[in-house]
Amino acid sequence: MGTTRLVWWCAASAVAGIVAGTLGSTLAAQGSRGTQAPRPYVQAGPQPNGTPVPRTAWGKADLSGVWNKRPHGGTNMALGVQPLPFTPAGLKAYNDVWNHVDPTSRCVFPGVPRVNNSPYPVQIIHLPDKVIFHYEYMHNFRLIHTDGRPHPKEILPSLMGHSVGKWDGDTLVIDTIGLTDRTWLDDHGNRHSDALHVTERFRRISADQLRYDATIDDPKFYTKPWSNGWIMPLSPADWEIGEYACTDFNQASDGGHLQPGPLDGSLRNGTAMPLPAAAPRGGGPGPGGGTAPPGR
Amino acid sequence: MSSSTLRSPFATDGTIRGFVMRTLLSLLTALMVAAPGSVLQAHHSFAATYDASKPVTFSGAVTKVEFRNPHIWVFLDVKDGDKVTNWGCEGGAPIQLFRQGWRPDTLKQGDEISVEGFAARDGKPVCNMRVIKTGEGRRVFAGAANDGAPGGTTSGTGR
C-alpha cells in the first residue's frame, strides 16, 4: 500500500466511522445488536500450508510452541473491517485518541486482544485442563482454564480481564470479560470501553501455523460485534521467551519524551482526516495481512 | 574496536569463515525481514516519541551504551564547531537485538559511529536510530522495524 493509499484509507476510516456512528446510534436506539460471523480467511499473508498438525496425547491439535504472534507488524485490529460500527461514544473515543499518550508507552499492560497484536513472541503451553500463555512482551501471562468453570460471579476489573476457555473441536475459544477502559485495542488507537467482551479463537492449522481470530463485542463503543484474525507462524526452533521489561531504562517515558496519539503514526498531525475520493472497504487483511501501511 | 572482538553477525573479520557466516546471516536476516514471520519488531513505537519528518544523521564518539529494557540506548557526543551535544538514541529491544547477534559489548565507549535516525518530536537531542555505522564502515542494525517509522524494513543491510 503506497502512502497515498494509506492516506485514503485513514480518511475512509474516519468518514466511514462518522457514517457508522450516525447509523450506529440509530441502531442502538432500536436496541438492535446484530452479530458478525468470523471473517472468512481473505488475507494476503501466509496461507495454510497443509503440513501435519501435531496432536497432544489426548488427541487435540496441539497449541504448544513459541509463536511469532504479530507476523507482519500490522497494528490495526480493524484493518479490513471498515466501516467500524461505532456508537457515538465509540467514535468520540476514537477521535479523542490524539489527546492521549498510548497506555502501553507508559507500560500499562496491553489488555485483550492487544496482547496478541503486540510484537514479540508468545509461548503456549497446552495442558489437558488449561492452556498457559507466556508473553514475552511486558513479561505477561494468561492462564486459561478449560475445565468447564464459568467466570466468577464477581470480577475485579483488570487490565487483562478474566478469561475462561473451552474447546470447540480443535479450536480453543477464550472468553474474556472484566476489562477496564484503560487499555487500547491496538497501536492504531482503536478503543474499547469497560463493557468489552472478547472472544478469541486459537487453532493450529498446520505444523507451523496458528490461526487466531478475535471478536470485539463492546456495546458502549460498537453497535455490533466485529472480528478480525490472522495467522501466527511458529518461531525459529531455538527461540525461548526472553525478558522484555517495560520499566528498566525507559527513557522515552521516564525522560518525558512521549507525545499523544496512536503508536503507528496515523493521525499524527492531530487533524480531522480529509474526505476520500472513494472509500475502499472490506477485503483487506487483518493485522497479519499483506497490505499494511509502509514502514510497519 | 578491534575486529576480533566484534560479535555482530555483520562484523568484518576478513576470514573465509567470517565471510560465509556473514553471508549466511545476512541472507537469514533478509529472509526474516521478507518472510511472513518477520522477527524485527519494537514497541512503544516510533510515533509516540519521534518525528518521521525529522530525519537526522550525525557522527560522534559513543559515551555510553545502555543495553537494557525495554529498548537499548546509545549516547554519543556530537560536535558542531565548538559545541558538543550529547545525543541519546533509542534502538530495539535487547532480547530482539540479542537474537540478531548484537551483544552488550558490540558497541563500546569511545567508538566513533555515525547514526541515521529520526529526531524526537519534542525537539530534544534524542533520536530513534535506524542504522549505525562504525568507523570501520561496518553497518549494524540499530533500530527496530515494524514500529511505524518511515522506511520500515527496507533501510540498512542489517535489518
Side-chain angles (χ1 to χ4, degrees):
Chain A
M1 182 187 288
T3 304
T4 306
R5 280 192 63 195
L6 172 63
V7 170
W8 286 134
W9 183 87
C10 290
S13 301
V15 173
I18 292 165
V19 173
T22 308
L23 177 63
S25 61
T26 307
L27 288 174
Q30 294 169 347
S32 168
R33 273 185 72 70
T35 57
Q36 184 188 40
R39 287 162 51 75
Y41 186 62
V42 294
Q43 299 179 31
Q47 298 293 317
N49 61 26
T51 50
V53 175
R55 297 207 164 261
T56 64
W58 54 96
K60 290 290 184 195
D62 193 351
L63 299 182
S64 295
V66 177
W67 301 95
N68 201 9
K69 59 187 163 59
R70 185 166 83 161
H72 291 270
T75 57
N76 185 348
M77 197 71 196
L79 193 59
V81 197
Q82 304 295 331
L84 283 179
F86 287 118
T87 65
L91 183 61
K92 183 168 184 280
Y94 180 73
N95 285 331
D96 193 43
V97 72
W98 186 254
N99 295 315
H100 299 277
V101 169
D102 186 301
T104 62
S105 293
R106 292 195 168 120
C107 299
V108 174
F109 285 169
V112 177
R114 191 175 182 181
V115 70
N116 284 317
N117 64 44
S118 296
Y120 311 108
V122 56
Q123 178 164 21
I124 300 179
I125 300 169
H126 184 161
L127 299 172
D129 61 347
K130 63 178 74 71
V131 181
I132 303 168
F133 291 72
H134 286 303
Y135 292 96
E136 185 168 282
Y137 181 53
M138 296 204 193
H139 231 68
N140 219 322
F141 75 93
R142 297 169 78 188
L143 195 160
I144 312 296
H145 292 290
T146 55
D147 56 5
R149 73 182 68 186
H151 290 292
K153 285 182 180 173
E154 281 191 291
I155 298 174
L156 178 65
S158 63
L159 298 170
M160 298 298 289
H162 189 275
S163 301
V164 291
K166 66 179 180 184
W167 287 95
D168 175 9
D170 277 340
T171 303
L172 173 65
V173 183
I174 302 177
D175 189 279
T176 302
I177 57 176
L179 293 151
T180 72
D181 61 0
R182 299 198 296 276
T183 60
W184 291 3
L185 292 175
D186 53 34
D187 290 8
H188 190 69
N190 283 304
R191 306 284 298 276
H192 67 82
S193 77
D194 58 4
L196 176 62
H197 168 209
V198 184
T199 306
E200 296 168 287
R201 300 171 73 86
F202 289 84
R203 183 179 181 186
R204 191 167 193 161
I205 57 171
S206 75
D208 56 1
Q209 293 176 306
L210 194 63
R211 171 71 201 193
Y212 174 75
D213 288 276
T215 298
I216 308 300
D217 185 4
D218 182 344
K220 287 186 182 175
F221 278 14
Y222 304 100
T223 60
K224 62 180 181 180
W226 54 275
S227 302
N228 213 336
W230 60 96
I231 283 179
M232 302 176 176
L234 196 65
S235 76
D238 61 345
W239 278 26
E240 295 182 351
I241 296 300
E243 181 173 274
Y244 179 101
C246 195
T247 53
D248 184 21
F249 189 72
N250 193 331
Q251 292 302 289
S253 177
D254 299 347
H257 302 298
L258 294 176
Q259 304 289 316
L263 280 190
D264 68 1
S266 56
L267 306 174
R268 46 177 299 109
N269 64 4
T271 58
M273 291 172 282
L275 188 70
R281 62 175 64 183
T291 58
R296 302 283 287 281
Chain B
M1 186 187 303
S2 75
S3 59
S4 61
T5 63
L6 297 174
R7 293 191 195 171
S8 163
F10 311 105
T12 305
D13 65 7
T15 64
I16 295 293
R17 181 174 169 275
F19 173 78
V20 171
M21 285 297 291
R22 205 160 59 241
T23 304
L24 285 176
L25 285 165
S26 297
L27 182 62
L28 180 63
T29 305
L31 285 173
M32 287 192 295
V33 169
S38 173
V39 298
L40 309 178
Q41 300 167 341
H43 218 237
H44 328 102
S45 324
F46 185 84
T49 306
Y50 304 99
D51 188 338
S53 69
K54 292 182 187 171
V56 289
T57 302
F58 45 72
S59 302
V62 173
T63 59
K64 186 167 64 169
V65 176
E66 292 284 2
F67 206 85
R68 288 164 66 183
N69 272 306
H71 296 156
I72 71 159
W73 282 75
V74 174
F75 296 86
L76 65 163
D77 278 340
V78 179
K79 291 179 185 171
D80 182 11
D82 293 335
K83 186 183 172 190
V84 177
T85 304
N86 190 249
W87 277 76
C89 290
E90 184 172 13
I95 181 66
Q96 251 181 327
L97 293 171
F98 187 86
R99 289 184 181 123
Q100 295 163 21
W102 273 65
R103 296 296 179 264
D105 62 354
T106 300
L107 286 179
K108 292 184 177 66
Q109 186 176 345
D111 285 352
E112 290 286 338
I113 61 171
S114 68
V115 172
E116 297 170 23
F118 296 92
R121 285 160 65 182
D122 65 9
K124 292 174 182 167
V126 168
C127 93
N128 182 285
M129 50 187 179
R130 316 307 294 180
V131 177
I132 291 180
K133 291 178 191 170
T134 68
E136 304 164 320
R138 185 168 54 103
R139 189 178 173 98
V140 291
F141 173 73
N146 288 341
D147 62 356
T153 58
T154 58
S155 64
T157 55
R159 303 298 292 277

